[in-house]
Amino acid sequence: MFPELQNLLSPERHQFTLITDWKTDGSFLVHHFLSHYLKSHYKVCFVALAQSFSHYSLIAQKLGVSLINARDQGQLVFLEGLKSYTSLLFSDTPEAESQNPLRFLRTSSDLQPLYDFVYAALTPSAGEEWKCSVLIVDDVGLLISLGVTTLQILDFIHYCRASVCCELQGDLVCLVRRDEEDEDSELLARSLCHQSGLILQAEGLSTGFCKDVHGQLTITHKKQNRSAIYQYKIQDKSVSFFAPGLSTAVL
């Protein structure tokens, strides 16, 4: 986790946190939440649609977390979307397909199988003593490129928010990438903004690349009706945040 970032965020619980990025890579925010929740002894269901398990594991290791140990101990339930989708395409076994959380991609139906997977993963079992339940999705917008409609994704997030945040008293974190030239992704991002309680908007600098400033982050706390803008620099194992115009690049 990045302690400096955690200090900037709201301590509110049971909320939906939306991460968006535009002309930059906001995945460092996903890595922050993943490592933070695991270190805080939360039960985490990670729906990874963007990268492989090894990718997330390597970065988590730099942040002091072992995803392999967390998975083996039952603290982390990891759905590797790339692997599941490949298995779905080349599977000739009906039984294997019936257990695949992404099987809706073959039938163009709603995302009920994925929701059922998430709910089963986060519902407390006898003997479990995790602090709380958390669902992280990276990147939900990729489902659009696989033929899922924006409305189906919004329904899925709505039911996940109702179950995770309300029923299970947990948190939901979701990343969606913005593209002004893609109407579906823009509609999805704008619609999810209305459902979320905390919005983290990562953007590239309007002035272009700078080695001392990698981007700008806008943090919006909707319940508190306030926003703050920071610029940041990503380092090997940390991220530095500062007010716009206060980086060493302009001193």
Side-chain angles (χ1 to χ4, degrees):
M1 61 176 287
F2 306 124
E4 194 172 339
L5 173 60
Q6 190 60 30
N7 292 335
L8 301 176
L9 301 179
S10 170
E12 294 180 12
R13 292 278 311 280
H14 322 314
Q15 71 176 352
F16 171 26
T17 298
L18 177 66
I19 302 171
T20 69
D21 61 19
W22 182 68
K23 293 187 177 180
T24 190
D25 185 0
S27 59
F28 73 94
L29 297 168
V30 173
H31 298 298
H32 162 76
F33 281 107
L34 176 60
S35 59
H36 165 68
Y37 283 124
L38 290 177
K39 285 183 176 180
S40 301
H41 208 64
Y42 283 62
K43 176 68 176 288
V44 178
C45 176
F46 193 160
V47 179
L49 302 174
Q51 298 288 349
S52 65
F53 177 84
S54 59
H55 170 83
Y56 296 103
S57 180
L58 180 62
I59 297 177
Q61 192 171 15
K62 291 184 177 181
L63 300 179
V65 175
S66 172
L67 296 193
I68 296 177
N69 289 343
R71 184 181 60 182
D72 293 344
Q73 294 169 5
Q75 183 185 8
L76 173 66
V77 178
F78 192 96
L79 173 61
E80 190 167 355
L82 299 175
K83 185 176 181 180
S84 296
Y85 182 58
T86 301
S87 175
L88 186 69
L89 288 178
F90 298 102
S91 174
D92 294 327
T93 307
E95 292 183 2
E97 181 178 335
S98 65
Q99 300 299 319
N100 194 316
L102 302 184
R103 60 184 179 274
F104 58 86
L105 295 174
R106 275 195 169 182
T107 60
S108 299
S109 58
D110 58 34
L111 278 64
Q112 181 75 37
L114 183 56
Y115 169 79
D116 291 339
F117 171 85
V118 169
Y119 190 80
L122 294 179
T123 300
S125 302
E128 288 190 340
E129 298 180 354
W130 307 117
K131 188 175 180 180
C132 205
S133 298
V134 177
L135 169 62
I136 302 177
V137 185
D138 177 29
D139 146 28
V140 71
L142 288 175
L143 291 173
I144 295 177
S145 63
L146 297 176
V148 180
T149 67
T150 301
L151 182 58
Q152 289 174 326
I153 296 175
L154 291 175
D155 285 343
F156 168 71
I157 294 297
H158 169 76
Y159 282 106
C160 286
R161 185 167 59 93
S163 297
V164 178
C165 299
C166 298
E167 180 182 347
L168 300 177
Q169 295 292 288
D171 295 335
L172 168 61
V173 179
C174 177
L175 180 143
V176 59
R177 291 191 153 82
R178 306 194 69 161
D179 183 353
E180 292 183 345
E181 297 181 358
D182 187 333
E183 294 183 0
D184 290 330
S185 67
E186 278 297 293
L187 175 60
L188 176 62
R190 289 196 302 268
S191 300
L192 290 177
C193 283
H194 292 294
Q195 295 189 28
S196 59
L198 176 64
I199 306 174
L200 307 181
Q201 298 170 284
E203 300 179 5
L205 297 176
S206 59
T207 54
F209 174 78
C210 175
K211 67 176 183 178
D212 294 303
V213 183
H214 292 159
Q216 180 171 286
L217 179 66
T218 302
I219 302 176
T220 302
H221 302 274
K222 293 179 66 175
K223 290 184 179 180
Q224 301 173 18
N225 194 27
R226 63 182 178 89
S227 296
I229 299 177
Y230 304 91
Q231 291 181 340
Y232 61 86
K233 179 180 180 180
I234 301 176
Q235 301 166 351
D236 186 40
K237 297 182 180 180
S238 65
V239 180
S240 298
F241 292 87
F242 37 84
L246 295 184
S247 74
T248 57
V250 297
L251 293 180

